[in-house]
Amino acid sequence: KNLENGTHIRGDVNVLMVGDPSTAKSQLLRYVLRIAPLAIATTGRGSSGVGLTAAVVADKDSGERRLEAGAMVLADRGVVCIDEFDKMTDVDRVAIHEVMEQQTVTVAKAGIHTTLNARCSVLAAANPVYGRYDPKRPPHQNIALPDSLLSRFDLLFIVTDSMDEARDRAISAHVLRMHRYVPPGVEPGQPLPDMLDQGLGTASLLAAMNGPDASADGAARPCTVFEPFNEYLHAGVAAAPPRRGRGRPARNVAPKREVLSTEFLRRFLYFAKNMVRPVLADAAADDLARAYAELRAQASGQGIEGRGATGAVQTTTPVTARTLETLIRLATAHAKLRLSTTVDAEDAEVAKGLLRFALFKEKPATAQRQSRASRRKAKRVRTSDDDTVSDISSDEDVVSDHAADQADQGGLRPMQTAQPVEPESAMDVDEISADRLALFKTQLSKAMGERRLDASTSPWSFPEPFVSIINDGLAGHPVFSLAEAEHALQAMEAENRLMFRDNMIIMM
């Protein structure tokens, strides 16, 4: 961000992963290289300070000195992936301090004095000092990186190779399926080309959006949101729950596995990063300031206002004033993913939970609920063969988890059994007919043509005012109920006409 007084505030998020070998850190970096519009890969041992920033070289023929940009300068407005970050020397690490915070490279060598932009995110992977992470030692003894460098990373995740029988079986099954996978039209044993085809700029992404088959008016190439499910590639994808209509759950609907396509991810990330400019709301600013004060108090162990003192707590990175900027960056990034124009309180809550997990390894309440439920379910499967007893105990565990969560929040509350009931017209609709779907599409096109629904202001809120706008002008036809509108949106989403998620409608 560039403020009116000329101050530049870093808006890119830097992430460091430190963990045991064989935990797929390098694979994660390769996937980021694949989906990022602009990404450059390098390694710690194969890179130097001038190779990452800028170098002054002399021409062999004329003897003139010229400036050559390094990896971080070439990745301006993109991502730099650094593998084996711990193998870099201390001199080379110091060279990237300015880039990671000021996002510029200042060169004053051989009569050349200039400043280059290096506005990039840094995604680094490193191994612990002792080869494997020792949980008995403090984090700073395992990481062995200076605090001046760690404070420039917004998030530091510790990846450990813990022993879990169920997860080990799932990983082994996935690896075996990957080895058995053969792309269509490829003979078994034939080497496959590398998929990292992005260039050194967003021009390649824009050219991909307008392929060679595009018409003269600039029509974009078709892009599917979801790709077909493949049991060999998508072994870890869980089945999505069936869609529920307003008032009554959908019946006879098979669970569907939805996998986002890589092309859609690239386009969505490019659009969210460059086209959405959320503004920090007052409520979110107060929440972030309060969260920063709580993090400082928890890390120092002094408590808030003298209460809750527990002594100093070990953290992965030092909690400094840069941590407040980290909270702002994370909240803004979450608002961009929602395609929202404001950073709200829910974005601040997500940023707070993510930073707490990175600093103190605190899991959110929902993750703790899921882990408790998964452990109980695995125990029941091993000790019981009666499906009926298993289902009953599952329901009891859900109720007990709900009661435990309420107790953690400050006491039990009476369970509410009465639920709001919707009108009969909205409850009896389990699907929408072809005629009503065609009428819905006509009303939507009419509303967009009359600018009552502007595509440039997408996403639109559902149900209001979207349903009221659709029902406006229905002469001689019954109005669309909430259930009918939801089924119509789901049908149009299946046709890749729009995206309907979390009561938000995004036109494709």
Side-chain angles (χ1 to χ4, degrees):
K1 295 181 180 180
N2 295 319
L3 303 183
E4 295 180 356
N5 58 359
T7 305
H8 175 76
I9 300 177
R10 175 167 63 93
D12 297 290
V13 179
N14 299 327
V15 180
L16 173 63
M17 296 182 296
V18 178
D20 299 335
S22 184
T23 51
K25 298 188 299 295
S26 299
Q27 292 295 329
L28 180 60
L29 264 62
R30 287 182 61 85
Y31 190 74
V32 171
L33 290 173
R34 181 178 178 183
I35 66 173
L38 171 59
I40 292 181
T42 183
T43 59
R45 180 58 66 183
S47 302
S48 61
V50 294
L52 291 174
T53 55
V56 177
V57 297
D59 188 82
K60 295 182 180 179
D61 299 329
S62 62
E64 295 181 354
R65 301 182 184 274
R66 67 177 186 271
L67 194 63
E68 289 189 356
M72 289 186 166
V73 178
L74 293 176
D76 188 31
R77 300 288 189 181
V79 182
V80 173
C81 299
I82 306 177
D83 202 359
E84 304 295 339
F85 189 70
D86 56 302
K87 304 301 188 298
M88 293 180 63
T89 61
D90 295 338
V91 177
D92 296 333
R93 290 199 197 103
V94 172
I96 66 175
H97 279 196
E98 179 190 3
V99 180
M100 295 185 63
E101 187 60 34
Q102 306 299 329
Q103 294 192 312
T104 57
V105 175
T106 303
V107 179
K109 297 179 181 178
I112 299 176
H113 188 278
T114 184
T115 301
L116 305 176
N117 287 327
R119 297 158 295 184
C120 60
S121 298
V122 177
L123 177 60
N127 292 324
V129 178
Y130 307 98
R132 296 182 64 89
Y133 190 86
D134 188 1
K136 298 180 181 179
R137 296 178 179 269
H140 66 275
Q141 294 184 7
N142 283 278
I143 299 174
L145 291 175
D147 289 347
S148 59
L149 181 61
L150 291 179
S151 63
R152 286 170 165 80
F153 283 101
D154 299 290
L155 297 174
L156 193 154
F157 295 108
I158 296 177
V159 187
T160 57
D161 185 12
S162 57
M163 307 302 176
D164 184 81
E165 181 181 357
R167 190 176 63 176
D168 292 342
R169 287 182 179 273
I171 293 175
S172 60
H174 175 64
V175 173
L176 292 174
R177 288 191 181 97
M178 292 288 292
H179 281 277
R180 294 171 56 191
Y181 172 72
V182 178
V186 178
E187 295 294 334
Q190 179 180 351
L192 300 178
D194 200 351
M195 300 299 293
L196 302 178
D197 55 351
Q198 61 273 7
L200 295 180
T202 55
S204 60
L205 177 63
L206 297 177
M209 291 182 178
N210 299 315
D213 298 334
S215 58
D217 56 353
R221 186 179 62 184
C223 174
T224 58
V225 179
F226 300 103
E227 62 183 25
F229 176 77
N230 190 306
E231 61 176 346
Y232 295 107
L233 294 178
H234 310 134
V237 178
R243 295 287 183 85
R244 297 178 178 269
R246 296 278 175 175
R248 176 176 294 180
R251 295 174 293 187
N252 301 326
V253 178
K256 188 165 98 175
R257 289 179 170 89
E258 296 179 339
V259 182
L260 291 174
S261 62
T262 304
E263 184 66 21
F264 172 76
L265 275 178
R266 295 181 67 185
R267 298 189 184 194
F268 178 80
L269 292 177
Y270 176 82
F271 179 84
K273 182 177 180 180
N274 296 279
M275 304 300 179
V276 182
R277 294 289 185 268
V279 180
L280 189 62
D282 294 338
D286 296 339
D287 291 344
L288 293 177
R290 192 181 308 108
Y292 171 69
E294 293 175 357
L295 291 174
R296 291 272 293 182
Q298 184 175 355
S300 62
Q302 298 177 0
I304 300 177
E305 297 181 356
R307 298 190 300 271
T310 58
V313 180
Q314 297 290 345
T315 60
T316 55
T317 56
V319 181
T320 62
R322 288 173 177 161
T323 308
L324 177 58
E325 294 185 353
T326 297
L327 288 170
I328 298 174
R329 281 189 286 268
L330 294 177
T332 305
H334 189 264
K336 286 187 174 183
L337 286 177
R338 297 190 301 111
L339 302 182
S340 175
T341 57
T342 58
V343 181
D344 300 328
E346 60 174 315
D347 302 316
E349 192 65 26
V350 172
K352 177 182 175 181
L354 183 59
L355 190 57
R356 279 189 174 277
F357 176 78
L359 289 175
F360 309 108
K361 299 297 178 295
E362 292 184 4
K363 293 184 178 181
T366 55
Q368 294 178 359
R369 258 199 324 271
Q370 292 175 359
S371 62
R372 288 198 301 264
S374 61
R375 288 196 300 267
R376 292 191 180 103
K377 183 178 180 181
K379 184 177 181 180
R380 289 196 304 272
V381 170
R382 291 194 301 266
T383 58
S384 175
D385 296 330
D386 190 354
D387 294 340
T388 305
V389 175
S390 178
D391 293 340
I392 295 175
S393 60
S394 177
D395 295 337
E396 293 176 352
D397 289 335
V398 171
V399 175
S400 62
D401 290 342
H402 180 71
D405 295 336
Q406 288 185 342
D408 294 339
Q409 295 176 0
L412 294 175
R413 299 172 183 169
M415 184 180 297
Q416 298 180 356
T417 57
Q419 299 294 335
V421 180
E422 295 192 355
E424 190 68 20
S425 59
M427 293 179 58
D428 293 339
V429 178
D430 292 332
E431 58 183 7
I432 186 171
S433 61
D435 297 337
R436 296 285 290 175
L437 179 59
L439 180 61
F440 183 87
K441 294 179 180 179
T442 302
Q443 288 293 110
L444 179 59
S445 301
K446 181 180 177 182
M448 294 178 63
E450 297 175 354
R451 296 293 182 178
R452 289 183 287 126
L453 287 175
D454 193 357
S456 61
T457 61
S458 175
W460 305 318
S461 178
F462 182 86
E464 295 299 337
F466 179 80
V467 178
S468 299
I469 296 176
I470 293 297
N471 289 327
D472 187 16
L474 275 177
H477 297 280
V479 297
F480 288 97
S481 63
L482 297 183
E484 278 187 313
E486 188 169 1
H487 285 299
L489 291 174
Q490 293 172 8
M492 295 184 67
E493 183 183 21
E495 299 173 358
N496 288 326
R497 301 282 298 276
L498 51 82
M499 187 175 180
F500 181 44
R501 285 292 185 276
D502 297 331
N503 293 332
M504 301 298 292
I505 306 167
I506 305 172
M507 295 302 298
M508 302 300 294

